[in-house]
Amino acid sequence: MRPFEDVVAEHGPVVLRVCRAVVGPVDAEDAWSETFLSALRAYPDLPADANVEAWLVTIAHRRALDVGRANSRRAVPTGTVPDSPAVRGDPADRHPDLWAALESLPTKQRQAVAYHHIAGLPFAEIAGLLGNSPDAARRACADGLSRLRSIYREEPLP
């Protein structure tokens, strides 16, 4: 079995992007950390032929929902919002308006788009994460993409 550090290095960026899509940029790092803490505990029992990326995205989905629920239950008043360092090479740095458009999607559409187009999961696995059928997951993804296209238009290159 590969060292867990290699798994984190290989799949960490995808997991972070999925967490960002599910809970937003503020809570994404907490969800990312929780994902890999949970994964570290379960990694020794993972079958050798398992799809590690799909397994991590499933954990990320659950941890991101947990982080989002926990944060929605407690109020944190602040006078100023602290600056958070940007992740190197993060697409949100290059396309902040795209991430804002993604955040504006309904939850199931946002998650379906993230799981399929960011994490590369098939609709059958997305259906399991979202608690619906593969057809419903495909439809949510298509509706989300359609809405993103109407909200976000990438400027043509010079």
Side-chain angles (χ1 to χ4, degrees), residues 2-27:
R2 293 174 45 194
F4 191 71
E5 294 81 15
D6 293 348
V7 172
V8 174
E10 181 180 346
H11 300 289
V14 170
V15 170
L16 182 60
R17 288 192 297 270
V18 167
C19 291
R20 270 189 91 122
V22 174
V23 296
V26 174
D27 297 325

Side-chain angles (χ1 to χ4, degrees), residues 122-129 134 137:
F123 291 113
E125 290 184 32
I126 296 169
L129 290 170

